[in-house]
Amino acid sequence: MSLLELRHLSKTYPGQNGAVVQAVSDVSLTIEPGEVLGVVGESGCGKSTLGRSLLRLIEPSGGEILFEGEDLMGLSQRAMKPRRRDLQIIFQDPFGSLNPRHTVGGIIGEPLVVHGVGTREERAARVAELLKLVGLPEDAGKRYPHEFSGGQRQRIAIARALALNPKLLVADEAVSALDVSIQSQIINLIADLQKRLNLSILFISHDLSVIRHVSDRIAVMYLGRIVEVGPAEEIMDAP
Ligand code: ADP
Ligand code: ADP
């Protein structure tokens, strides 16, 4: 069984003058356990809408989201909560998701609090472990997000996303806002964590040179549809 299977997923937004924007159209995809599926396409083709829809951070208009065989579309948002442990996301600009008033340790540990995991001491130990995992200094937990560079903030976002040992990580343009040299550090970190944790990743990027480094398979998106999907070598070799 695939870890995730999307069947005919679609999302429309209300457009101007009563028009309808078909952001995602009839997308069917699978992600296997431990697989990195790259999703590439021009800006505006629907990648971000796809990534958020499959976590139901925005409500899809139709289709099925089978996660370990269970259709998430049939669940209320309340019933989704325990599933969110397994499904995490990181964004282009982690600053938006890093509350400036909370310590980095508090930010990374928050999902543990929300899901009632462990005692205070156990959570602190897990936060320390996560800081190490993503290559942040031990004392980072006591500091605040604005004290860190863009690359380090992305490490904080990754640590937070991994706190609950998710099975699937959606990376939505996770390195696009970073300088090229920092990009490769974060890509290498994600690739290393993917192998160590046997994570499945949906890796969204407009940048084929980023996608090719991390993906086992690549899906090419155009105007809301997946127009091609296959092993990374095949997609890259296509004329
Ligand atoms: P990508 O991530 O590939 O850049 P998006 O998923 O952000 O693409 O956008 C897909 C399409 O949906 C675009 O035409 C965009 O303008 C439109 N869109 C995205 N979000 C909204 C929204 N909240 N309301 C209306 N249209 C939207
Ligand atoms: P904040 O006020 O910054 O949101 P909290 O005190 O609410 O932080 O802590 C939230 C979680 O993060 C707790 O589980 C706590 O154990 C952990 N935590 C908070 N600060 C640190 C830190 N400096 N180092 C390690 N873990 C921390």
Side-chain angles (χ1 to χ4, degrees):
M1 187 179 29
S2 299
L3 179 70
L4 180 82
E5 180 178 355
L6 303 181
R7 290 188 185 157
H8 310 294
L9 198 73
S10 66
K11 173 65 183 177
T12 56
Y13 295 109
Q16 283 170 342
N17 305 321
V20 168
V21 179
Q22 185 80 43
V24 171
S25 289
D26 196 24
V27 166
S28 297
L29 278 178
T30 58
I31 301 179
E32 306 307 321
E35 183 184 41
V36 181
L37 177 68
V39 177
V40 69
E42 288 168 22
S43 174
C45 74
K47 304 179 298 298
S48 188
T49 300
L50 177 66
R52 285 163 213 232
S53 292
L54 72 88
L55 303 184
R56 291 190 58 211
L57 297 179
I58 53 181
E59 282 301 332
S61 310
E64 293 168 43
I65 306 167
L66 300 174
F67 185 74
E68 296 183 318
E70 178 187 28
D71 187 7
L72 301 182
M73 288 288 280
L75 302 180
S76 64
Q77 282 294 341
R78 186 192 168 98
M80 272 296 291
K81 186 181 167 188
R83 277 309 198 187
R84 295 206 183 282
R85 292 184 65 151
D86 290 333
L87 299 156
Q88 294 287 325
I89 188 165
I90 52 176
F91 300 102
Q92 172 164 1
D93 174 18
F95 221 21
S97 56
L98 304 180
N99 189 325
R101 289 187 300 275
H102 287 192
T103 63
V104 167
I107 289 165
I108 295 173
E110 192 195 7
L112 303 172
V113 175
V114 168
H115 287 271
V117 175
T119 62
R120 203 177 168 81
E121 289 69 32
E122 285 164 348
R123 289 196 296 268
R126 176 68 179 145
V127 169
E129 187 179 88
L130 286 159
L131 287 171
K132 199 167 174 187
L133 189 69
V134 299
L136 286 168
E138 255 179 76
D139 71 347
K142 297 186 191 67
R143 292 155 61 190
Y144 289 84
H146 65 259
E147 300 175 49
F148 293 87
S149 66
Q152 284 176 315
R153 287 204 293 268
Q154 202 52 278
R155 288 177 196 266
I156 297 168
I158 292 167
R160 177 183 159 93
L162 297 181
L164 293 161
N165 279 316
K167 293 176 182 166
L168 178 71
L169 178 68
V170 175
D172 184 359
E173 301 283 4
V175 299
S176 302
L178 305 173
D179 292 344
V180 172
S181 63
I182 309 294
Q183 271 193 356
S184 55
Q185 289 175 15
I186 300 299
I187 291 169
N188 290 342
L189 173 68
I190 292 174
D192 177 52
L193 292 170
Q194 187 276 327
K195 285 191 196 74
R196 284 166 68 177
L197 307 173
N198 196 38
L199 257 182
S200 299
I201 302 182
L202 185 79
F203 198 102
I204 294 171
S205 178
H206 68 282
D207 187 344
L208 200 52
S209 67
V210 166
I211 286 279
R212 68 187 301 177
H213 280 296
V214 289
S215 307
D216 299 310
R217 284 188 304 140
I218 296 177
V220 181
M221 207 167 174
Y222 181 71
L223 296 178
R225 293 178 186 275
I226 301 298
V227 290
E228 210 181 345
V229 56
E233 318 81 66
E234 275 176 30
I235 301 285
M236 295 308 300
D237 287 347

